[in-house]
Amino acid sequence: MDIAVKDGRIVGVRGRANDRVNRGRLDPKDLYGWQANNSADRLTRPLVRDGGRLVETDWETAMGRVVARSKELTQGPGGWGHFGFYTSGQLFLEEYYALGVIGKAGLGTPHMDGNTRLCTATAAAALKASFGTDGQPGSYGDVDHCDAIALWGHNVAATQTVLWMRMLDRRRGPNPPRMLAVDPRETPVAKEADIHLAIRPGTNVALVNGLIRQVIHSGWYDPTYTQAHVIGFEGLAETVDAYTPSHVADICGLKARDIERAAELLGTSERLLSTVLQGFYQSNQATAAACGVNNLHLIRGMIGRPGAGVLQMNGQPTAENTREAGGNGDLPGFRNWDNPEHIRELAELWNVDETTIPHWAPPTHAMQIWRYAEQGSIKFLWISATNPAVTLPDLARIRRILSKPELFVVVQDLFLTETAAFADVVLPAATWGEKLGTFTNADRTVHLSEKAVEPPGEARSDLDIFLDYARRMDFRDRDGDPLVPWTSPEEVFEAWKKCSEGRPCDYTGITYEALRDGGIQWPVGTERLYGDGFFNTDPDYCETYGHDLNTGAEFTADDYKAKEPGRRAFLHAVDYQPSPETPGEDYPMTLTTGRTVYHFHTRTKTARAPELNAAAPDPWIELHPDDAAHLGVAEGDQVSVTSPRGEIVVPARLTGVRPGTVFVPFHYGQQAANELTMTAWDPVSKQPLFKIAAVRVEPRD
């Protein structure tokens, strides 16, 4: 995007026609969201809690409180164990890397994660499990070459509209690709698709198993590729054999003939592109289901060539970067926390003792961080660029945790969000267009975001805030030199390049200057991964030694080496298991949550863009007309939606959602969908199960 500036303020944007990703197109949030940068209620000075109120102060006072509490905790019993960092998928790569070094080498805490756990954790887990490391095999360019597109729980028309436009270009042009949509709602994608499987929420594994069975039984798989490049075909074939079309139809609430038609579309295409998102990631058996899509591509050899690829999508603009750079639970450079040589590499790079870097157990995932805060072992929680008081499940519980007097909460954001209202210190941050840095999308394309204007008042970039904290904490390396010596984004980027060298996400060859001409994929010159049929599964190189997909139990290095991967990909065979919460007498319907095209996350910015807010100012519930008739509910009527955890009251919309299922958008702080969702997560990715809460819907007088 280009940014128009007048009198020191952003006044408009336009897409760049030569960009490899968007080709000049923008979605509604792009076109209008920039207006929030100029909003009159931006945070412009730090706030501290004084007598129960948040009052304005200066940076010296605010950072003084943050550092004083930090040093008190580091010098007392428990040390690093008292610190938790909960970040975002919206910072820049440089900011994640600096934060990762601060947390992992400065404080030495494993308690680092973020809201990417809610949106992209299953993508990462599935890529690691199947291919050895994170990193998308496919490219957005595959849309231009495929002859079939399968969208698995991915309402791309609402979540990645520019990508949807590219798909529609193909559908309206010569040789249009066939399209399959798997979604319980009749979304624009479902209406466009040749086959729409309106699946019962929580049954994705059964469906994918059934489709793979049909592909195998029909002889549509590639035995030559499978034998040469894949491990586990026999086990997969044995597991899926019981999933006949009629059996899957009973589990998933579908017609057997539609399952057969979908399998034929998938099995007879010559260039299949799959995209996967929250309908799989936030549902029952999430990692197993996402790996099932990888399985399908692997047994057909549909990977690494134009039009044949899989995109385990991201839900946020820089979710890829936090996984690469270690701003979350991952180690920087897609390194394996359980590989001593990888820890040694980082220790040498950062010049710290290996024992400083947390690697004695798996990194702490977000849901466990909040549990530790609830129990009292985490006493310091730094939240940056996210609003968990709206996005996390079971919000009543989250409010109780944030209210605990013994928990010191730092919130770094643009506005006084629902979460910031609970903070002890609020730090005013700069946003896009007000700071310099890089960000990487789902197909590994790195862009440079230039600073066009100054942030308002005393607001600072997230990187400047983290670097200031590091200086005040006086973190030192083994030689007594500053652990975090950088002063500019480009210095951090160059340091990150050294960290990434030789790893799958190798940024060497990328410079700020080169990025000013447009986006560049990593590794440089590689549009698609695994085109040679060799995968990142070597025991010395891989990012994980794997998990039991049913229990989440970690496999050991010896377990992994015994498989003798030989750079082959893994197929993972798992039986369907029912969701942990299913409809019953008291709560007879299933709630699924998701997005509207007009808002992003908790509307922190989009609610402040007049056009976007006017398009979707309030939440609602979608009901099938038959369910509405049974309840005596008409279009626009107020209804109460109740789960074992809470209640909201919203107006009804009668739509094509499958009978017995209701949908509520999760963006709204008032009458929030997450008052209803449950504290449960996938055993491998640890991603919360937002899509399968049992609810009761009743007319409201």
Side-chain angles (χ1 to χ4, degrees), residues 350-408:
W350 295 337
N351 195 23
V352 297
D353 291 330
E354 294 174 31
T355 55
T356 303
I357 301 171
H359 63 283
W360 50 87
T364 312
H365 63 90
M367 301 306 292
Q368 188 63 50
I369 288 174
W370 286 91
R371 178 60 172 155
Y372 287 155
E374 184 175 44
Q375 294 173 325
S377 60
I378 285 182
K379 302 179 184 298
F380 177 107
L381 185 58
W382 191 324
I383 302 167
S384 51
T386 187
N387 190 11
V390 178
T391 57
L392 283 171
D394 192 0
L395 288 180
R397 172 176 175 258
I398 301 305
R399 289 191 292 268
R400 289 194 299 271
I401 295 171
L402 288 168
S403 299
K404 290 171 65 72
E406 61 270 31
L407 180 65
F408 186 86

Side-chain angles (χ1 to χ4, degrees), residues 18 139 152 189 251 253 336 390 411 440 509 595 610 640 645 691:
N18 64 346
S139 165
W152 308 87
V189 176
I251 295 172
N336 186 345
V390 178
V411 171
T440 307
R595 301 180 186 273
S640 69
R645 292 154 294 276
K691 303 291 189 186

Side-chain angles (χ1 to χ4, degrees), residues 59-60 63-64 66-68 70-71 98-99 101-103 106-107 382 460-476 480-489 491-492:
W59 276 98
E60 191 66 31
M63 292 303 292
V66 174
V67 171
S70 298
K71 290 186 174 180
L99 181 61
V101 175
I102 288 168
L107 293 167
W382 191 324
R460 296 179 178 177
S461 76
D462 298 276
L463 179 61
D464 286 343
I465 295 171
F466 293 146
L467 296 182
D468 185 24
Y469 177 71
R471 284 191 295 270
R472 291 171 184 267
M473 290 295 291
D474 197 26
F475 295 124
R476 298 279 168 171
D481 295 324
L483 174 69
V484 183
W486 314 302
T487 59
S488 71
E491 286 179 348
V492 182

Side-chain angles (χ1 to χ4, degrees), residues 380-455:
F380 177 107
L381 185 58
W382 191 324
I383 302 167
S384 51
T386 187
N387 190 11
V390 178
T391 57
L392 283 171
D394 192 0
L395 288 180
R397 172 176 175 258
I398 301 305
R399 289 191 292 268
R400 289 194 299 271
I401 295 171
L402 288 168
S403 299
K404 290 171 65 72
E406 61 270 31
L407 180 65
F408 186 86
V409 178
V410 180
V411 171
Q412 186 169 309
D413 215 319
L414 314 180
F415 299 95
L416 191 65
T417 64
E418 288 87 349
T419 302
F422 289 95
D424 295 282
V425 176
V426 180
L427 304 176
T431 187
W432 164 88
E434 301 168 355
K435 59 181 183 176
L436 178 68
T438 55
F439 59 98
T440 307
N441 73 359
D443 84 339
R444 298 171 284 106
T445 301
V446 186
H447 283 90
L448 180 68
S449 183
E450 300 275 14
K451 180 177 179 179
V453 298
E454 293 296 326

Side-chain angles (χ1 to χ4, degrees), residues 19-23 25 120 136-146 148-149 151 154 156 159-170 177 272-277 281 305-320 323 439-447 519-522 526-529:
D19 186 81
R20 73 168 303 273
V21 175
N22 72 343
R23 298 174 173 178
R25 287 168 160 169
T120 192
Q136 297 287 355
S139 165
Y140 287 158
D142 290 330
V143 175
D144 305 333
H145 301 284
C146 64
I149 302 174
L151 299 114
H154 184 196
V156 63
T159 57
Q160 283 94 10
T161 58
V162 171
L163 182 59
W164 178 235
M165 296 178 210
R166 194 161 177 168
M167 292 177 179
L168 290 179
D169 285 346
R170 286 294 318 281
L272 171 66
L273 171 64
S274 283
T275 70
V276 193
L277 198 57
Y281 298 166
R305 54 188 173 86
V310 61
L311 291 166
Q312 299 281 352
M313 295 295 298
N314 296 333
Q316 295 187 73
T318 64
E320 181 68 32
R323 284 150 44 193
F439 59 98
T440 307
N441 73 359
D443 84 339
R444 298 171 284 106
T445 301
V446 186
H447 283 90
I520 301 172
Q521 286 179 291
W522 62 251
T526 306
E527 184 171 3
R528 297 168 186 86
L529 304 182

Side-chain angles (χ1 to χ4, degrees), residues 99-146:
L99 181 61
V101 175
I102 288 168
K104 292 174 171 66
L107 293 167
T109 180
H111 306 327
M112 303 187 72
D113 205 357
N115 68 14
T116 50
R117 185 65 55 184
L118 315 182
C119 80
T120 192
T122 301
L127 293 168
K128 295 175 192 178
S130 297
F131 309 125
T133 68
D134 201 343
Q136 297 287 355
S139 165
Y140 287 158
D142 290 330
V143 175
D144 305 333
H145 301 284
C146 64

